[in-house]
Amino acid sequence: MTEFFEVQPPDQARQRWFSQITHQVEVEYIPTHETLGRVTADVIHSAEALPAFQRSMVDGYAVQANSTYGASDSLPTYLRVVGEILMGKEAEITVQKGEAALIHTGGMIPRGADAVVMVEHTQPIDEREIEVLKAAAPGENVLQIGEDVTPNSPILPARHRIKAQDIGAMLAVGWNEHVPVVKRPRVCIFSTGDELVHPLAEKLKLGQIRDINSSTIQALCAGAEAEIMGIVPDDAMELFKALEKALPTADMLVVTAGSSVSARDMTAQVINQLGKPGVVVHGVAARPGKPTILAVVDGKPVIGLPGNPVSAFVMFRLFGVPALAHLMGTPMAIQTKVAARVTVNVPSAAGREDYVPVRLIERNGDGEQWAEPIFGKSNLIFTLVGADGLLKIPLNVTGLREGVWGEVIL
Amino acid sequence: MTEFFEVQPPDQARQRWFSQITHQVEVEYIPTHETLGRVTADVIHSAEALPAFQRSMVDGYAVQANSTYGASDSLPTYLRVVGEILMGKEAEITVQKGEAALIHTGGMIPRGADAVVMVEHTQPIDEREIEVLKAAAPGENVLQIGEDVTPNSPILPARHRIKAQDIGAMLAVGWNEHVPVVKRPRVCIFSTGDELVHPLAEKLKLGQIRDINSSTIQALCAGAEAEIMGIVPDDAMELFKALEKALPTADMLVVTAGSSVSARDMTAQVINQLGKPGVVVHGVAARPGKPTILAVVDGKPVIGLPGNPVSAFVMFRLFGVPALAHLMGTPMAIQTKVAARVTVNVPSAAGREDYVPVRLIERNGDGEQWAEPIFGKSNLIFTLVGADGLLKIPLNVTGLREGVWGEVIL
């Protein structure tokens, strides 16, 4: 049993935890139009050349470049117009020396032609003849076969989070199905606490509160398949049975503890019984969320969260969300941190990271971003409503002074 | 017919366009656990008080505060333990003067008690008696009824984009269904261009390319219900019929033009025939994407995009995505812009906004964010793969020098 009962700084805790997670999420193959936000399991290669034919990059006339040599405003060259290249059709015309074919942007370069003169550099004489006012070099305004993409070249890297433009890129080269992506990790969320009732319960009895942590954490699991497994009584055997049953088909287990100290301690004991290495981190030097448990069983991440809704939210954002990205082998989505100036003095204690819910605002019309802390007496979920992010107060700092730049985790 | 053929700066164009959009998206009522990312149509009020009973904020002993007056480390007060408050149950004990009841965090304060002494400030004598080492004031460590939320108080504002914590907040006060939200706007996406074929087409003929813009724009419409309506031939009557049929049930129409100039001009003419005011902006002082059309018909936004994939992407990000937020009456999602330093000189022209695809990186280990431009010859969608955002080069600037801070739109 590998246990570390000392409280650890968040970065070190995360690193130690991740280093023991060996489980990998499976791969599945899905149609391209369903891949938004998913993570590629492999490099995506192009099967085709793009473009697949020589295309005009402008509106103008397809010509043999040497027909235009010496042309200028003062001494134009005259070319015979032998037809128009229709969009979407194979060019049937052959362009000879001294000839030109009307072509549109994206049109297929006809046989014989090796350049396109922009329409702006021509002057029509009549329907059959144009003046060319500027010489074109061979290849000018022509996109060559495979110039964008050669066959077998990589389009998307492996472990890449697929964005809107990536879908376009795959479709452009004919990838429209069977895209290898990492399955959405399956997260099983449990709550313990005899005071909890299901949030859909019509009527609360005195002493009861609704289980909101499960739903909040489920909503934080965007990109994963998070299932609320329900409320388990404050009983070690019951919790053990519930976790043991879920573990084989889950990629990650989350347990939010009851509010009482005894309920929290029970979680750690049960996780250690579940398998090796068990609890890796027991306690994080952070506020809120100190009594967080980070564990690994069968190579899979298991996380025990404090019952307080703000603590559970902050700790899952700090550890659970990165663990989901880690399981999929991809970095966190870009730009989850921004800089902002603090609107008031925010005290803290050295040796502990504080995470303060803040609203991002502009003030003074100075164009700079300010972080305005949202304080609430009892640390309930309502302090997070309206919060745009969490202001981080670093480990060895005793607070941030008004006007100082801080880091905000979105 | 209100037409403005002069090219307009993007901000001014957007403002002029929005000022004529009068259409409002309808309201629907959905269960709370389905509201993530949706926009509230109305203020959400609490029907209940929270907490609904007096709760202990700590682990300790519920007492009458006046039983503890004068207690200190050197002169403790002795109290008789009369029982334990079970979690989730109505407290059945009544605490008299000189008595204490064991209570856990979140437990219900028993009758008679008005304060909780933290367990750290007590010392057990035996099972029936404790020493209290510190006096408690009335109300100490007790969360009063309604202290977090009073009945009828607002939980979420109207036109608020619902986040994970907001779901928890609604559930906490018993809102678990019938949440009034703005419907997902219905966006109908059309492509024109005789050279286009459906992206699922197995085999391309020479001269043909796949329609990737429809899919890219659909993917950019996260939060909306975007439907790909298909490819319309380069024919004004066909396009008119297609748009006219879609308009009554759509909240927004998007047309990506064929690559040729004639195809683009056709779009504007057809939109003007569709209804008043028709085209509001024809041409935006931006690169890429100058020939963009912003129109309004029946109070609904209609947008005509250039056929080039990068232009279509950038312009839809700049106009289409904000228009979706505008239709729902909500500000854009927070933090869609970040500051970053440019890794190389990026030239531009005054009087035009440039949008350059960039990768956000760290370099020199200086902890600062740098924007590295991704250049591609033919401006195809592949330049956007791997891009984290678009670096904006402002209207009246002739470029950004290496090391200068710029604005990146994610």
Side-chain angles (χ1 to χ4, degrees):
Chain A
M1 201 186 298
T2 324
E3 278 190 3
F4 300 89
F5 283 103
E6 342 73 272
V7 161
Q8 292 181 39
D11 286 344
Q12 185 186 317
R14 197 184 299 107
Q15 212 178 324
R16 195 186 286 232
W17 188 37
F18 280 8
S19 73
Q20 307 225 25
I21 298 172
T22 53
H23 174 68
Q24 290 208 331
V25 181
E26 285 173 36
V27 175
E28 63 180 335
Y29 297 84
I30 63 174
T32 304
H33 68 271
E34 293 174 4
T35 58
L36 185 67
R38 301 296 292 270
V39 171
T40 56
D42 212 335
V43 181
I44 307 292
H45 290 94
S46 172
E48 302 179 2
L50 197 79
F53 53 92
Q54 290 185 311
R55 296 184 76 187
S56 176
M57 295 169 73
V58 295
D59 293 315
Y61 291 89
V63 297
Q64 292 191 5
N66 62 13
S67 308
T68 67
Y69 290 167
S72 69
D73 281 339
S74 53
L75 201 68
T77 299
Y78 292 81
L79 298 180
R80 196 158 58 85
V81 178
V82 292
E84 175 180 354
I85 309 298
L86 296 177
M87 296 301 291
K89 304 267 186 236
E90 187 175 349
E92 286 173 353
I93 301 165
T94 300
V95 174
Q96 313 283 357
K97 191 156 200 301
E99 292 181 348
L102 182 61
I103 194 166
H104 309 284
T105 304
M108 179 174 172
I109 305 292
R111 273 185 303 275
D114 62 359
V116 177
V117 181
M118 287 175 80
V119 71
E120 293 87 335
H121 299 147
T122 65
Q123 191 74 43
I125 304 297
D126 55 33
E127 288 205 348
R128 305 302 305 272
E129 202 174 23
I130 54 164
E131 289 180 351
V132 173
L133 310 172
K134 192 158 177 280
E140 193 166 326
N141 297 321
V142 175
L143 197 61
Q144 302 296 336
I145 292 172
E147 190 163 2
D148 283 311
V149 181
T150 52
N152 267 321
S153 59
I155 300 300
L156 300 181
R159 305 289 156 175
H160 172 78
R161 202 175 285 269
I162 296 171
K163 301 188 289 287
Q165 57 267 42
D166 304 329
I167 291 179
M170 285 189 276
L171 290 176
V173 294
W175 263 101
N176 56 50
E177 52 181 359
H178 303 310
V179 180
V181 295
V182 179
K183 276 193 180 175
R184 296 180 199 277
R186 184 160 182 268
V187 183
C188 294
I189 305 167
F190 298 86
S191 288
T192 66
D194 290 336
E195 73 277 32
L196 296 181
V197 295
H198 193 278
L200 299 193
E202 275 301 309
K203 195 80 188 149
L204 295 183
K205 298 197 189 108
L206 279 178
Q208 295 183 326
I209 59 166
R210 296 185 182 87
D211 170 28
I212 63 165
N213 285 334
S214 295
S215 303
T216 309
I217 287 159
Q218 183 185 41
L220 279 174
C221 287
E225 221 169 74
E227 196 175 335
I228 296 177
M229 309 297 285
I231 301 158
V232 182
D234 276 340
D235 178 278
M237 187 48 75
E238 295 268 2
L239 181 59
F240 179 80
K241 278 194 218 156
L243 297 183
E244 191 187 34
K245 193 175 164 201
L247 185 63
T249 59
D251 296 303
M252 174 160 151
L253 299 181
V254 181
V255 183
T256 57
S259 316
S260 65
V261 171
S262 60
R264 288 196 309 238
D265 293 345
M266 182 186 72
T267 307
Q269 287 160 19
V270 168
I271 291 172
N272 275 330
Q273 283 159 18
L274 208 59
K276 302 278 170 196
V279 175
V280 175
V281 173
H282 194 165
V284 177
R287 193 179 72 169
K290 185 174 158 194
T292 295
I293 294 162
L294 305 175
V296 177
V297 178
D298 288 357
K300 297 175 180 180
V302 179
I303 177 166
L305 297 171
N308 174 279
V310 174
S311 308
F313 180 94
V314 170
M315 287 296 110
F316 193 80
R317 177 66 191 76
L318 233 58
F319 294 102
V321 175
L324 286 173
H326 182 80
L327 274 174
M328 294 192 278
T330 183
M332 291 280 291
I334 192 75
Q335 206 38 52
T336 55
K337 294 174 187 177
V338 296
R341 301 179 66 185
V342 185
T343 57
V344 293
N345 293 338
V346 185
S348 174
R352 183 184 79 193
E353 280 178 15
D354 277 24
Y355 291 89
V356 181
V358 292
R359 197 177 282 124
L360 293 174
I361 56 169
E362 285 209 4
R363 71 172 197 186
N364 314 333
D366 55 8
E368 286 179 346
Q369 192 158 246
W370 291 77
E372 183 179 64
I374 304 171
F375 294 111
K377 177 178 171 184
S378 73
N379 219 11
L380 266 187
I381 192 78
F382 300 95
T383 54
L384 291 177
V385 172
D388 296 312
L390 299 165
L391 173 69
K392 175 179 173 176
I393 304 176
L395 210 57
N396 294 315
V397 159
T398 55
L400 295 179
R401 276 185 189 282
E402 182 185 341
V404 158
W405 285 91
E407 180 183 318
V408 176
I409 297 172
L410 298 174
Chain B
M1 201 185 299
T2 323
E3 277 189 4
F4 301 88
F5 282 102
E6 341 74 271
V7 161
Q8 291 180 40
D11 287 344
Q12 184 185 318
R14 196 182 301 108
Q15 211 177 328
R16 197 187 286 233
W17 186 39
F18 281 7
S19 73
Q20 307 225 22
I21 298 172
T22 53
H23 174 68
Q24 291 208 331
V25 181
E26 284 173 37
V27 175
E28 62 179 338
Y29 297 82
I30 63 174
T32 303
H33 67 269
E34 294 175 4
T35 58
L36 185 65
R38 300 297 293 271
V39 171
T40 55
D42 213 335
V43 180
I44 308 293
H45 290 94
S46 171
E48 303 180 1
L50 197 78
F53 52 92
Q54 289 185 314
R55 297 185 74 187
S56 175
M57 297 169 73
V58 295
D59 291 317
Y61 291 88
V63 297
Q64 293 191 7
N66 61 17
S67 306
T68 66
Y69 293 165
S72 68
D73 281 340
S74 54
L75 200 67
T77 299
Y78 293 82
L79 298 181
R80 193 159 59 86
V81 178
V82 292
E84 175 180 355
I85 308 297
L86 296 177
M87 296 302 290
K89 304 267 185 237
E90 186 173 349
E92 285 173 357
I93 301 166
T94 300
V95 173
Q96 314 282 357
K97 193 155 196 302
E99 293 181 347
L102 182 61
I103 193 165
H104 310 284
T105 304
M108 180 173 171
I109 304 293
R111 273 184 304 274
D114 61 358
V116 178
V117 180
M118 288 175 79
V119 72
E120 292 88 334
H121 300 146
T122 66
Q123 191 73 46
I125 303 297
D126 56 34
E127 287 205 348
R128 305 301 305 272
E129 200 174 23
I130 54 165
E131 286 180 352
V132 174
L133 310 173
K134 192 160 179 278
E140 193 164 323
N141 298 322
V142 175
L143 197 60
Q144 302 297 335
I145 293 171
E147 190 163 3
D148 283 310
V149 181
T150 52
N152 266 320
S153 59
I155 300 301
L156 300 181
R159 306 288 157 175
H160 173 78
R161 203 175 286 268
I162 295 170
K163 300 188 289 285
Q165 57 268 44
D166 303 331
I167 291 178
M170 284 189 278
L171 290 176
V173 294
W175 262 100
N176 56 48
E177 53 179 359
H178 304 310
V179 180
V181 296
V182 179
K183 276 193 178 174
R184 295 182 200 276
R186 185 162 180 265
V187 183
C188 294
I189 304 168
F190 298 86
S191 288
T192 66
D194 290 336
E195 73 277 30
L196 296 181
V197 294
H198 192 277
L200 298 193
E202 275 300 310
K203 195 79 187 151
L204 296 184
K205 297 199 188 105
L206 280 177
Q208 295 183 327
I209 59 166
R210 295 185 182 88
D211 170 29
I212 63 166
N213 285 334
S214 295
S215 302
T216 310
I217 287 160
Q218 184 185 41
L220 280 173
C221 286
E225 221 169 75
E227 195 176 336
I228 296 178
M229 308 298 286
I231 300 158
V232 182
D234 276 340
D235 177 278
M237 186 49 77
E238 294 269 1
L239 181 60
F240 179 81
K241 277 193 217 156
L243 297 183
E244 190 188 34
K245 192 175 163 203
L247 185 62
T249 59
D251 295 304
M252 175 160 148
L253 299 181
V254 181
V255 183
T256 57
S259 316
S260 65
V261 171
S262 59
R264 288 195 311 237
D265 292 346
M266 184 186 73
T267 308
Q269 286 160 22
V270 167
I271 291 172
N272 275 329
Q273 283 159 20
L274 208 59
K276 303 280 172 195
V279 175
V280 174
V281 173
H282 194 166
V284 177
R287 190 176 79 169
K290 186 175 158 194
T292 295
I293 294 162
L294 304 176
V296 177
V297 177
D298 289 358
K300 296 174 179 177
V302 179
I303 178 165
L305 297 170
N308 173 279
V310 175
S311 306
F313 180 93
V314 171
M315 287 296 111
F316 193 79
R317 178 66 191 77
L318 234 58
F319 294 102
V321 175
L324 286 174
H326 182 80
L327 275 173
M328 293 193 278
T330 183
M332 291 280 292
I334 193 74
Q335 205 42 48
T336 56
K337 294 174 186 176
V338 295
R341 300 180 67 183
V342 186
T343 57
V344 293
N345 292 337
V346 185
S348 173
R352 186 183 76 193
E353 280 179 12
D354 277 22
Y355 291 90
V356 181
V358 292
R359 197 176 284 123
L360 293 175
I361 57 169
E362 284 209 5
R363 70 172 197 187
N364 313 334
D366 55 7
E368 286 179 347
Q369 189 157 245
W370 291 78
E372 183 178 63
I374 304 170
F375 294 112
K377 178 181 169 182
S378 73
N379 218 13
L380 266 186
I381 192 78
F382 300 95
T383 54
L384 292 178
V385 172
D388 296 313
L390 299 165
L391 173 69
K392 175 179 174 177
I393 304 177
L395 210 57
N396 294 314
V397 160
T398 56
L400 295 180
R401 275 183 191 285
E402 183 185 340
V404 158
W405 285 90
E407 179 182 317
V408 175
I409 296 171
L410 299 174

